[in-house]
Amino acid sequence: MTKNKDWSWPFWPVLPLYPYGKRRTLCREIVQDTIWTFDQLHGILYTIVPIRMTVIKLDAGGLLIYAPVAPTDECVRLVNELVAKHGDVKYIVLPTSSGLEHKIFVGPFARKFPQAQVFVAPHQWSFPFNLPLSWLGFPQKRTQVLPAASSQAPFADDFDYQVLDINLGKGSFVEVAFFHRRSHTLLVTDSVLSVTAEPPAIFHLDPYPLLFHSRENAQQIIEDNPANRRQGWQRISLFAIYFRPSALELTGLGQMWRDALQAPDRSPKAYWGFFPFRWQQNWQQSFTTLSGNGRPFVAPILQILILPQDPTQVLNWSDQVAKWDFQQIISCHFDAPFPSTPEQFCQAFNFLAKNSANPSHQPLSIEDMHFIRELEANLLKSGIAKNRVIAE
């Protein structure tokens, strides 16, 4: 078997995101003989972040999979190495209803492990047509919605979970937080993140996105070294979190074409020849504010467009999650695991409280969130988005 075949993901045209048809997988042991993460790269236009699956050993033997990634031959082989030591994959959990980048892998992954039961978050939906899960590749006879109460789940001896379910009108935003009691670990999908200064380890298998964003212009030839990888990662993080951070200056169309035409043949790939932006000198300050010493935070797109649709429910959900005595969080993107207390988790949602105008309740940069607020205004004007609701 060649390495290229080992990394092959033939279904990439269904969701054509980088790295397209070849995906590397990095497995890391987080808690000895208990928890492993499987990272792959995932994104668009070289703005790439990790997408992560978590595997947990059950006390009674066997494995539970939280948020599957692409089941390449390499990925499946790594899982089977755990199966040989700890027992079969018993449960596969899709903990979100709206995350296509997670949903798309569940059916193919379940087919690789035909003995596993598949549990999905409630209120699944698809766009532009709301199709049955079986039409999306989920095994019909093995797929069921997570019980409303975690005590009713077959893995209740190992886990508690809480469901966040926000009705957005044409669909729902659902996230299911899992708490693994024995290891004091909280599993989340998108609700909270943490960003570190150093690039996640998966990038060492494919550093090109880091080097692309480390450049100052399309002509620059970047040396592959730790400092440039670090700079590229920090800029990618600003892109991915804010879409258009305040330190990013977009160049005009004429400049885009001029850069493309002047780029020498030996220069690295760009956006089909374009490098339509430049970074201002204060970009590192934006990143320092974003990273915030590793504290958990809520991504601006959720802060502005999604969670304010039902702030009372979100705050109640975070309060329930904070009753668990977790010590670390594994999220499906960016850094993981990262240390967090229940109190720090709750503080990440303080922007929803009535007194959220207090700067201490908004640790992210207001200037960097300007573009997403403009997006919100345009969506409100077109009737696509709804006005925010104030928590009681």
Side-chain angles (χ1 to χ4, degrees):
M1 178 184 296
T2 66
K3 286 186 177 180
N4 283 346
K5 185 177 185 302
D6 209 27
W7 308 334
S8 175
W9 174 238
F11 304 115
W12 72 268
V14 178
L15 188 64
L17 299 178
Y18 187 95
Y20 311 111
K22 290 182 174 58
R23 285 177 169 255
R24 299 293 305 273
T25 304
L26 178 67
C27 175
R28 293 191 301 154
E29 185 176 60
I30 304 303
V31 178
Q32 186 174 7
D33 290 329
T34 303
I35 297 180
W36 302 262
T37 57
F38 285 63
D39 284 15
Q40 296 178 354
L41 292 180
H42 173 86
I44 188 169
L45 296 179
Y46 303 125
T47 301
I48 311 302
V49 299
I51 184 169
R52 181 173 298 110
M53 169 178 84
T54 305
V55 180
I56 306 97
K57 178 185 175 182
L58 303 168
D59 285 347
L63 304 170
L64 179 142
I65 308 288
Y66 182 92
V69 292
T72 62
D73 288 349
E74 179 181 42
C75 178
V76 172
R77 186 180 69 252
L78 292 169
V79 174
N80 279 330
E81 290 175 4
L82 299 180
V83 167
K85 291 182 179 180
H86 306 293
D88 288 339
V89 174
K90 290 187 175 180
Y91 310 109
I92 298 170
V93 177
L94 172 62
T96 179
S97 70
S98 51
L100 182 58
E101 75 274 21
H102 302 287
K103 189 180 306 187
I104 198 169
F105 300 128
V106 177
F109 196 95
R111 288 195 292 274
K112 298 291 185 179
F113 299 94
Q115 74 287 345
Q117 297 182 56
V118 179
F119 287 88
V120 302
H123 296 148
Q124 294 293 320
W125 59 284
S126 57
F127 180 86
F129 304 107
N130 204 7
L131 302 174
L133 288 178
S134 59
W135 288 28
L136 300 175
F138 286 64
Q140 187 170 8
K141 295 182 179 179
R142 292 189 285 134
T143 301
Q144 56 188 299
V145 176
L146 281 164
S150 60
S151 59
Q152 299 171 350
F155 36 80
D157 289 344
D158 298 86
F159 295 93
D160 295 309
Y161 61 76
Q162 284 288 337
V163 179
L164 174 62
D165 189 346
I166 300 176
N167 183 356
L168 301 177
K170 295 182 179 180
S172 294
F173 174 86
V174 180
E175 172 156 337
V176 187
F178 267 58
F179 173 57
H180 185 241
R181 289 190 291 270
R182 183 158 62 88
S183 68
H184 302 280
T185 300
L186 180 68
L187 309 178
V188 298
T189 311
D190 302 308
S191 57
V192 293
L193 305 167
S194 179
V195 177
T196 54
E198 296 296 327
I202 182 65
F203 278 100
H204 298 311
L205 303 182
D206 180 9
Y208 179 77
L210 305 181
L211 301 179
F212 177 89
H213 281 285
S214 186
R215 292 184 294 166
E216 303 301 335
N217 55 64
Q219 290 80 29
Q220 186 178 8
I221 304 300
I222 284 289
E223 179 184 351
D224 186 358
N225 59 44
N228 284 334
R229 289 190 180 196
R230 184 184 309 115
Q231 176 166 288
W233 165 244
Q234 293 179 7
R235 290 175 171 181
I236 282 174
S237 298
L238 291 171
F239 255 127
I241 294 296
Y242 295 120
F243 301 165
R244 197 180 75 195
S246 61
L248 190 73
E249 180 184 349
L250 298 182
T251 60
L253 184 60
Q255 180 67 43
M256 290 165 56
W257 280 106
R258 187 160 57 251
D259 286 349
L261 293 172
Q262 293 176 352
D265 292 340
R266 58 188 176 87
S267 67
K269 297 173 290 183
Y271 298 140
W272 299 285
F274 298 149
F275 198 84
F277 49 81
R278 65 173 61 93
W279 289 94
Q280 299 176 10
Q281 291 184 350
N282 64 335
W283 72 266
Q284 288 181 315
Q285 179 58 49
S286 288
F287 179 81
T288 299
T289 301
L290 175 67
S291 60
N293 297 318
R295 70 175 187 281
F297 67 91
V298 177
I301 193 72
L302 294 183
Q303 286 197 28
I304 295 172
L305 295 179
I306 305 298
L307 301 189
Q309 300 304 315
D310 196 341
T312 300
Q313 184 189 168
V314 176
L315 292 172
N316 289 341
W317 175 78
S318 66
D319 286 343
Q320 291 299 313
V321 170
K323 291 180 179 179
W324 301 328
D325 60 337
F326 54 87
Q327 299 168 1
Q328 64 178 354
I329 297 177
I330 299 176
S331 64
C332 288
H333 300 287
F334 289 92
D335 186 41
F338 53 89
S340 176
T341 64
E343 181 182 9
Q344 289 171 328
F345 176 83
C346 267
Q347 288 173 349
F349 298 92
N350 280 346
F351 66 92
L352 291 169
K354 280 186 176 181
N355 57 345
S356 60
N358 186 326
S360 67
H361 288 173
Q362 180 49 271
L364 300 184
S365 166
I366 299 298
E367 292 78 11
D368 287 326
M369 296 173 71
H370 180 70
F371 174 75
I372 299 179
R373 293 199 181 279
E374 283 186 339
L375 176 62
E376 177 195 31
N378 290 332
L379 293 175
L380 287 171
K381 186 176 180 180
S382 64
I384 297 174
K386 297 185 296 183
N387 287 312
R388 303 182 207 177
V389 179
I390 303 298
E392 296 297 329

